[in-house]
Amino acid sequence: MPDAYQSMYQSFRWKVPEQLNIEQLLCSRWAKDAGRVAIRYESDNGQRSTWTYRDLHLAANRLASSLRELGVERGDRVALVLPQRPITAVAHLAIYRLGAIAMPLSILFGPEALAYRLADSEAMGLIADASVLDTLRAARPDGLRFMAIAADVDGPDLLDPTDAEFDVQGLIERGHPRFTPVKTLAAEPAQLLYTSGTTGPPKGALIPHRALIGNLPGFVASQNWFPDGAQCFWSPADWAWTGGLMDALLPSLYFGQSILAYKGRFSGDKAYELIERYAISHAFLFPTALKAMLKSNPSPSSGHALKLRAVMSAGEAVGHTLYDWCQAELGVTVNEMFGQTEMNYVVGNCSRYWTSRSGSIGRPYPGHRVAVIDDDGVEVPDGSLGEIAVHRQDIHGDPDPVFFIEYWRNLKASDDKFTGNWCRTGDLATRDADGFLWYAGRTDDMFKAAGYRIGPGEIENCLLQHPEVANVAVVPKPDQERGNLVKAFVVLSRPEHYREGSQREALIQALQAQVKRQLAPYEYPKEIEFIESLPMTTTGKVQRVVLRRLEQEKAQGCEPQPGAGHALA
């Protein structure tokens, strides 16, 4: 098939109404079809259920009515500490209908992380899963007016009504089934999404209603022209972050399709089981998930009846190993995508209609003007390293609706994000003559060793090709002579086979030789440390900053702080 990229990119035009509310796009228009399935739910405790769009619509109306009685008004922030389950979608819809702002937070957050976000946002209430009730009580700020708790089974007995703790199901049951949504502008905020915080304290990005429309071209393309042939969508990505919310849940509902909500622990075996049982046709599987699937069963095509039509991946570099494996074993060419909380789904691939290149994050999706720029905001020549940036306007001069509004009460950070009309991503890449972008890493992940500029991604991808490597992170180790040494933290696929020092030393030499052979001599890791697990954000990204800090503390003679992983005994 000829490459249709240029014609699609050049002809695309935005159509964004002045008045818009996300809820109008997600549920109301599909609720008239009584049998249309929205969510298929399964939990690791054996619960299963099916929710139609009409079910979501009525439950959202009732919950919105009760939340209004609790004092939720237009512009209020309401936190959602919920996993993948139907009530999560109901809560989002109810909040949007009130003209309020949904603030999803991960159920994996501890009291400190929750307390910071609840206080910083001045949230007036929250809706949460019963499993985190004790954590929320420890984190609850004085200004929080209510907590609505959702239990898998009847849970009112857990709650303290004298402290404004309510049962979500009770709120839904007593709410009125009819509710007139608040009319909002497309430019008004719908969500407050906190960045993953790989460096520095997390910032709250205000996302407007129109941003969902801004996401759609990339979503459609990365899912090989979704919803063509769609049966059910699934992603293990937490619905509390951009990847799970804007790359999975909301666009699936926008198109009136079914999505699987799985509340349980992820594993490669479980992924295969769910994909087969629910006939998953389209998926967002981030590289960490794909690695787990590859390691648990490298040849799934021989034992599973998979019906995948498209797989998108993002968050970290996919790399050649996973790219080739997806083609050979999953039967799809994985479409790598790049985006941020602040402006999501701006670069990527669509193997159905245009050329895909292994190792590239793709080209700008239709509707987005993307460039590689220098420190002054000037586009760099092809092949030169620079920062990925997105222009406020598309190639036709129309405003791009994908952008966040600003960082919550942080105008300086909002201003610093832009150089003129270019919004800086903090991610480095090169662009080739055909317009493909080649990711090089975060600006704060890059480092110099012996005068050479090093990006961790390429080295990590090389090491991952070794069958004994399950995961890896590359960081600088301070060195007086060279400035830094290249160091790799490696998680082994079979750690029990490498207990002896001689075995570990032989593997270290093999890994070093592999990098020397495939990359440049100055890129091979002078030191390799085996650890049980890598520090990760709740969005599945490796926290290299934690490992860098660990190495800096060692170099300064400080006692290393806990939390950076455990050395292999």
Side-chain angles (χ1 to χ4, degrees):
M1 179 180 293
D3 191 321
Y5 173 78
Q6 285 299 336
S7 62
M8 290 181 173
Y9 183 76
Q10 294 294 330
S11 63
F12 182 87
R13 302 300 296 261
W14 290 111
K15 295 181 179 180
V16 183
E18 183 177 357
Q19 192 175 84
L20 177 68
N21 189 292
I22 290 180
E23 74 87 20
Q24 301 167 346
L25 305 177
L26 301 181
C27 187
S28 301
R29 60 191 180 129
W30 304 115
K32 297 176 183 179
D33 184 350
R36 184 181 286 267
V37 174
I39 298 176
R40 302 183 187 279
Y41 175 61
E42 178 175 327
S43 70
D44 54 6
N45 65 8
Q47 284 194 324
R48 296 186 187 181
S49 63
T50 299
W51 285 59
T52 66
Y53 279 88
R54 179 168 293 183
D55 294 332
L56 290 183
H57 178 72
L58 293 176
N61 272 350
R62 291 179 178 275
L63 183 57
S65 176
S66 290
L67 290 178
R68 176 172 285 173
E69 290 183 4
L70 292 176
V72 179
E73 298 178 353
R74 186 179 196 149
D76 284 337
R77 278 76 59 206
V78 179
L80 303 176
V81 193
L82 294 163
Q84 289 191 10
R85 53 182 302 186
I87 191 60
T88 309
V90 171
H92 271 277
L93 292 169
I95 293 169
Y96 301 145
R97 289 177 182 180
L98 286 160
I101 300 171
M103 186 178 72
L105 302 172
S106 174
I107 61 170
L108 299 179
F109 283 150
E112 184 176 341
L114 287 170
Y116 172 82
R117 290 160 175 81
L118 291 172
D120 184 67
S121 65
E122 296 184 349
M124 66 87 65
L126 65 81
I127 303 171
D129 192 76
S131 62
V132 294
L133 180 56
D134 290 341
T135 303
L136 289 168
R137 284 170 173 164
R140 182 172 180 171
D142 293 338
L144 198 73
R145 293 170 57 182
F146 71 87
M147 296 200 306
I149 305 301
D152 284 329
V153 294
D154 293 338
D157 293 342
L158 300 171
L159 307 178
D160 182 1
T162 63
D163 201 20
E165 294 180 358
F166 301 93
D167 174 45
V168 170
Q169 187 57 40
L171 293 177
I172 292 175
E173 289 175 355
R174 73 169 182 251
H176 199 281
R178 293 183 181 275
F179 186 86
T180 303
V182 171
K183 293 182 179 180
T184 57
L185 298 176
E188 285 188 59
Q191 303 161 352
L192 181 58
L193 305 181
Y194 277 82
T195 59
S196 55
T198 52
T199 58
K203 298 185 292 291
L206 272 176
I207 309 298
H209 289 272
R210 66 188 175 204
L212 177 59
I213 294 179
N215 274 253
L216 293 178
F219 176 80
V220 169
S222 73
Q223 294 295 337
N224 287 343
W225 237 246
F226 193 87
D228 183 37
Q231 290 181 277
C232 190
F233 191 100
W234 178 61
S235 175
D238 190 343
W239 289 358
W241 66 286
T242 302
L245 185 64
M246 300 295 276
D247 301 354
L249 175 62
L250 299 194
S252 293
L253 297 181
Y254 173 89
F255 285 105
Q257 299 299 308
S258 302
I259 185 170
L260 170 64
Y262 175 68
K263 181 186 176 184
R265 188 176 182 84
F266 177 87
S267 70
D269 291 337
K270 176 56 71 172
Y272 291 128
E273 178 187 331
L274 294 173
I275 291 172
E276 184 172 20
R277 176 157 62 244
Y278 290 94
I280 301 299
S281 57
H282 296 75
F284 164 28
L285 300 170
F286 42 83
T288 306
L290 288 172
K291 291 173 187 176
M293 293 169 65
L294 167 62
K295 298 301 180 181
S296 69
N297 186 351
S299 303
S301 56
S302 60
H304 294 280
L306 305 181
K307 298 180 179 179
L308 287 168
R309 295 175 63 89
V311 170
M312 183 275 283
S313 191
E316 292 278 326
V318 171
H320 301 298
T321 301
L322 290 177
Y323 184 92
D324 294 341
W325 175 75
C326 285
Q327 285 185 322
E329 292 296 332
L330 299 186
V332 295
T333 298
V334 62
N335 288 321
E336 194 163 357
M337 181 275 283
F338 171 83
Q340 290 193 324
T341 300
E342 297 86 344
M343 58 285 192
N344 189 41
Y345 248 127
V346 291
V347 172
N349 293 281
C350 176
S351 59
R352 177 172 178 176
Y353 285 125
W354 62 75
T355 304
S356 176
R357 293 182 181 175
S358 174
S360 169
I361 58 175
R363 291 178 281 188
Y365 279 126
H368 308 299
R369 180 182 168 191
V370 182
V372 179
I373 64 174
D374 61 18
D375 292 342
D376 297 321
V378 178
E379 294 190 46
V380 301
D382 291 344
S384 298
L385 189 67
E387 186 174 352
I388 303 172
V390 187
H391 203 276
R392 290 183 187 271
Q393 299 172 330
D394 67 6
I395 59 172
H396 304 290
D398 298 324
D400 187 338
V402 80
F403 283 95
F404 76 126
I405 301 169
E406 64 186 20
Y407 291 120
W408 175 254
R409 294 182 178 172
N410 194 337
L411 293 180
K412 183 181 185 305
S414 303
D415 292 340
D416 290 346
K417 187 73 172 172
F418 288 85
T419 298
N421 283 319
W422 289 109
C423 188
R424 312 188 75 100
T425 64
D427 291 277
L428 298 172
T430 59
R431 181 187 59 211
D432 64 24
D434 296 319
F436 286 87
L437 296 180
W438 300 83
Y439 188 77
R442 292 286 298 170
T443 54
D444 42 32
D445 283 337
M446 301 292 289
F447 61 93
K448 281 192 174 182
Y452 293 99
R453 190 172 176 86
I454 305 291
E458 188 176 40
I459 304 172
E460 292 168 355
N461 288 334
C462 181
L463 290 170
L464 188 63
Q465 295 174 25
H466 197 285
E468 298 299 329
V469 177
N471 210 348
V472 60
V474 170
V475 299
K477 176 179 179 178
D479 181 79
Q480 289 186 348
E481 293 184 5
R482 300 177 179 86
N484 291 298
L485 298 177
V486 179
K487 178 169 181 176
F489 287 88
V490 171
V491 179
L492 293 174
S493 301
R494 302 182 301 166
E496 67 278 5
H497 290 195
Y498 293 91
R499 296 295 181 183
E500 301 296 328
S502 59
Q503 296 171 320
R504 285 180 284 181
E505 185 58 36
L507 180 58
I508 287 172
Q509 292 179 9
L511 293 174
Q512 290 173 329
Q514 180 166 296
V515 177
K516 288 180 182 179
R517 186 169 58 251
Q518 297 186 27
L519 302 178
Y522 60 83
E523 290 184 288
Y524 89 91
K526 305 292 190 299
E527 184 175 320
I528 294 177
E529 181 175 337
F530 299 120
I531 58 176
E532 292 179 0
S533 61
L534 297 176
M536 310 285 285
T537 69
T538 57
T539 64
K541 297 180 183 179
V542 176
Q543 286 185 304
R544 296 184 187 88
V545 65
V546 174
L547 301 174
R548 290 178 71 140
R549 189 183 305 122
L550 178 66
E551 291 305 309
Q552 290 167 358
E553 290 170 353
K554 289 180 181 178
Q556 294 167 1
C558 302
E559 186 70 23
Q561 296 298 309
H566 307 283
L568 194 64

PDB file of all heavy atoms in Angstrom, residues 215-230:
ATOM      1  N   ASN A 215      -6.875  14.875  20.808  1.00  0.00           N
ATOM      2  CA  ASN A 215      -6.270  13.539  20.905  1.00  0.00           C
ATOM      3  C   ASN A 215      -6.704  12.599  19.785  1.00  0.00           C
ATOM      4  O   ASN A 215      -6.006  11.625  19.489  1.00  0.00           O
ATOM      5  CB  ASN A 215      -6.672  12.885  22.230  1.00  0.00           C
ATOM      6  CG  ASN A 215      -5.768  13.251  23.383  1.00  0.00           C
ATOM      7  OD1 ASN A 215      -4.965  12.458  23.846  1.00  0.00           O
ATOM      8  ND2 ASN A 215      -5.906  14.470  23.843  1.00  0.00           N
ATOM      9  N   LEU A 216      -7.869  12.860  19.203  1.00  0.00           N
ATOM     10  CA  LEU A 216      -8.503  11.850  18.350  1.00  0.00           C
ATOM     11  C   LEU A 216      -7.728  11.472  17.090  1.00  0.00           C
ATOM     12  O   LEU A 216      -7.668  10.277  16.753  1.00  0.00           O
ATOM     13  CB  LEU A 216      -9.915  12.294  17.990  1.00  0.00           C
ATOM     14  CG  LEU A 216     -10.896  12.347  19.169  1.00  0.00           C
ATOM     15  CD1 LEU A 216     -12.259  12.836  18.702  1.00  0.00           C
ATOM     16  CD2 LEU A 216     -11.023  10.984  19.850  1.00  0.00           C
ATOM     17  N   PRO A 217      -7.118  12.418  16.342  1.00  0.00           N
ATOM     18  CA  PRO A 217      -6.397  11.988  15.140  1.00  0.00           C
ATOM     19  C   PRO A 217      -5.302  10.981  15.439  1.00  0.00           C
ATOM     20  O   PRO A 217      -5.153   9.979  14.739  1.00  0.00           O
ATOM     21  CB  PRO A 217      -5.823  13.298  14.588  1.00  0.00           C
ATOM     22  CG  PRO A 217      -6.725  14.361  15.111  1.00  0.00           C
ATOM     23  CD  PRO A 217      -7.137  13.895  16.464  1.00  0.00           C
ATOM     24  N   GLY A 218      -4.552  11.243  16.516  1.00  0.00           N
ATOM     25  CA  GLY A 218      -3.494  10.314  16.883  1.00  0.00           C
ATOM     26  C   GLY A 218      -4.034   8.974  17.349  1.00  0.00           C
ATOM     27  O   GLY A 218      -3.484   7.918  17.013  1.00  0.00           O
ATOM     28  N   PHE A 219      -5.104   9.008  18.120  1.00  0.00           N
ATOM     29  CA  PHE A 219      -5.696   7.746  18.595  1.00  0.00           C
ATOM     30  C   PHE A 219      -6.179   6.905  17.423  1.00  0.00           C
ATOM     31  O   PHE A 219      -5.886   5.703  17.344  1.00  0.00           O
ATOM     32  CB  PHE A 219      -6.853   8.037  19.554  1.00  0.00           C
ATOM     33  CG  PHE A 219      -7.569   6.802  20.016  1.00  0.00           C
ATOM     34  CD1 PHE A 219      -7.045   6.020  21.022  1.00  0.00           C
ATOM     35  CD2 PHE A 219      -8.769   6.411  19.428  1.00  0.00           C
ATOM     36  CE1 PHE A 219      -7.697   4.859  21.448  1.00  0.00           C
ATOM     37  CE2 PHE A 219      -9.428   5.269  19.845  1.00  0.00           C
ATOM     38  CZ  PHE A 219      -8.887   4.486  20.857  1.00  0.00           C
ATOM     39  N   VAL A 220      -6.909   7.514  16.525  1.00  0.00           N
ATOM     40  CA  VAL A 220      -7.442   6.791  15.369  1.00  0.00           C
ATOM     41  C   VAL A 220      -6.307   6.184  14.552  1.00  0.00           C
ATOM     42  O   VAL A 220      -6.351   5.005  14.157  1.00  0.00           O
ATOM     43  CB  VAL A 220      -8.299   7.729  14.497  1.00  0.00           C
ATOM     44  CG1 VAL A 220      -8.632   7.073  13.162  1.00  0.00           C
ATOM     45  CG2 VAL A 220      -9.573   8.113  15.230  1.00  0.00           C
ATOM     46  N   ALA A 221      -5.273   6.986  14.294  1.00  0.00           N
ATOM     47  CA  ALA A 221      -4.162   6.512  13.467  1.00  0.00           C
ATOM     48  C   ALA A 221      -3.361   5.424  14.170  1.00  0.00           C
ATOM     49  O   ALA A 221      -3.017   4.394  13.564  1.00  0.00           O
ATOM     50  CB  ALA A 221      -3.251   7.689  13.106  1.00  0.00           C
ATOM     51  N   SER A 222      -3.052   5.620  15.445  1.00  0.00           N
ATOM     52  CA  SER A 222      -2.221   4.640  16.161  1.00  0.00           C
ATOM     53  C   SER A 222      -2.935   3.312  16.349  1.00  0.00           C
ATOM     54  O   SER A 222      -2.291   2.282  16.563  1.00  0.00           O
ATOM     55  CB  SER A 222      -1.804   5.199  17.525  1.00  0.00           C
ATOM     56  OG  SER A 222      -2.887   5.206  18.433  1.00  0.00           O
ATOM     57  N   GLN A 223      -4.270   3.324  16.280  1.00  0.00           N
ATOM     58  CA  GLN A 223      -5.050   2.094  16.370  1.00  0.00           C
ATOM     59  C   GLN A 223      -5.520   1.637  14.989  1.00  0.00           C
ATOM     60  O   GLN A 223      -6.537   0.964  14.846  1.00  0.00           O
ATOM     61  CB  GLN A 223      -6.255   2.310  17.297  1.00  0.00           C
ATOM     62  CG  GLN A 223      -5.870   2.556  18.750  1.00  0.00           C
ATOM     63  CD  GLN A 223      -5.193   1.355  19.399  1.00  0.00           C
ATOM     64  OE1 GLN A 223      -5.358   0.220  18.961  1.00  0.00           O
ATOM     65  NE2 GLN A 223      -4.422   1.612  20.447  1.00  0.00           N
ATOM     66  N   ASN A 224      -4.720   1.998  13.973  1.00  0.00           N
ATOM     67  CA  ASN A 224      -4.966   1.557  12.594  1.00  0.00           C
ATOM     68  C   ASN A 224      -6.386   1.835  12.128  1.00  0.00           C
ATOM     69  O   ASN A 224      -7.094   0.975  11.613  1.00  0.00           O
ATOM     70  CB  ASN A 224      -4.615   0.070  12.433  1.00  0.00           C
ATOM     71  CG  ASN A 224      -3.110  -0.151  12.447  1.00  0.00           C
ATOM     72  OD1 ASN A 224      -2.326   0.781  12.261  1.00  0.00           O
ATOM     73  ND2 ASN A 224      -2.696  -1.375  12.684  1.00  0.00           N
ATOM     74  N   TRP A 225      -6.759   3.061  12.320  1.00  0.00           N
ATOM     75  CA  TRP A 225      -8.031   3.642  11.883  1.00  0.00           C
ATOM     76  C   TRP A 225      -9.220   3.113  12.690  1.00  0.00           C
ATOM     77  O   TRP A 225     -10.244   2.703  12.163  1.00  0.00           O
ATOM     78  CB  TRP A 225      -8.240   3.492  10.379  1.00  0.00           C
ATOM     79  CG  TRP A 225      -8.443   4.838   9.753  1.00  0.00           C
ATOM     80  CD1 TRP A 225      -9.568   5.320   9.161  1.00  0.00           C
ATOM     81  CD2 TRP A 225      -7.498   5.909   9.724  1.00  0.00           C
ATOM     82  NE1 TRP A 225      -9.385   6.619   8.758  1.00  0.00           N
ATOM     83  CE2 TRP A 225      -8.110   7.012   9.082  1.00  0.00           C
ATOM     84  CE3 TRP A 225      -6.184   6.065  10.163  1.00  0.00           C
ATOM     85  CZ2 TRP A 225      -7.474   8.232   8.885  1.00  0.00           C
ATOM     86  CZ3 TRP A 225      -5.539   7.273   9.967  1.00  0.00           C
ATOM     87  CH2 TRP A 225      -6.188   8.337   9.325  1.00  0.00           C
ATOM     88  N   PHE A 226      -9.062   3.185  13.998  1.00  0.00           N
ATOM     89  CA  PHE A 226     -10.132   2.866  14.933  1.00  0.00           C
ATOM     90  C   PHE A 226     -11.381   3.688  14.595  1.00  0.00           C
ATOM     91  O   PHE A 226     -11.275   4.854  14.211  1.00  0.00           O
ATOM     92  CB  PHE A 226      -9.657   3.229  16.352  1.00  0.00           C
ATOM     93  CG  PHE A 226     -10.490   2.689  17.454  1.00  0.00           C
ATOM     94  CD1 PHE A 226     -10.263   1.427  17.973  1.00  0.00           C
ATOM     95  CD2 PHE A 226     -11.509   3.448  18.009  1.00  0.00           C
ATOM     96  CE1 PHE A 226     -11.025   0.929  19.016  1.00  0.00           C
ATOM     97  CE2 PHE A 226     -12.275   2.964  19.049  1.00  0.00           C
ATOM     98  CZ  PHE A 226     -12.034   1.693  19.555  1.00  0.00           C
ATOM     99  N   PRO A 227     -12.584   3.083  14.672  1.00  0.00           N
ATOM    100  CA  PRO A 227     -12.908   1.784  15.247  1.00  0.00           C
ATOM    101  C   PRO A 227     -13.089   0.656  14.239  1.00  0.00           C
ATOM    102  O   PRO A 227     -13.811  -0.303  14.527  1.00  0.00           O
ATOM    103  CB  PRO A 227     -14.226   2.077  15.961  1.00  0.00           C
ATOM    104  CG  PRO A 227     -14.912   3.058  15.068  1.00  0.00           C
ATOM    105  CD  PRO A 227     -13.809   3.909  14.479  1.00  0.00           C
ATOM    106  N   ASP A 228     -12.475   0.771  13.070  1.00  0.00           N
ATOM    107  CA  ASP A 228     -12.657  -0.252  12.055  1.00  0.00           C
ATOM    108  C   ASP A 228     -12.294  -1.638  12.601  1.00  0.00           C
ATOM    109  O   ASP A 228     -11.159  -1.863  13.024  1.00  0.00           O
ATOM    110  CB  ASP A 228     -11.783   0.069  10.838  1.00  0.00           C
ATOM    111  CG  ASP A 228     -11.990  -0.918   9.708  1.00  0.00           C
ATOM    112  OD1 ASP A 228     -13.133  -1.359   9.512  1.00  0.00           O
ATOM    113  OD2 ASP A 228     -11.007  -1.259   9.026  1.00  0.00           O
ATOM    114  N   GLY A 229     -13.252  -2.545  12.598  1.00  0.00           N
ATOM    115  CA  GLY A 229     -13.014  -3.906  13.065  1.00  0.00           C
ATOM    116  C   GLY A 229     -12.916  -4.046  14.568  1.00  0.00           C
ATOM    117  O   GLY A 229     -12.523  -5.109  15.064  1.00  0.00           O
ATOM    118  N   ALA A 230     -13.289  -3.014  15.311  1.00  0.00           N
ATOM    119  CA  ALA A 230     -13.140  -3.054  16.769  1.00  0.00           C
ATOM    120  C   ALA A 230     -14.137  -4.014  17.407  1.00  0.00           C
ATOM    121  O   ALA A 230     -15.311  -4.040  17.038  1.00  0.00           O
ATOM    122  CB  ALA A 230     -13.308  -1.656  17.360  1.00  0.00           C
TER     123      ALA A 230
END
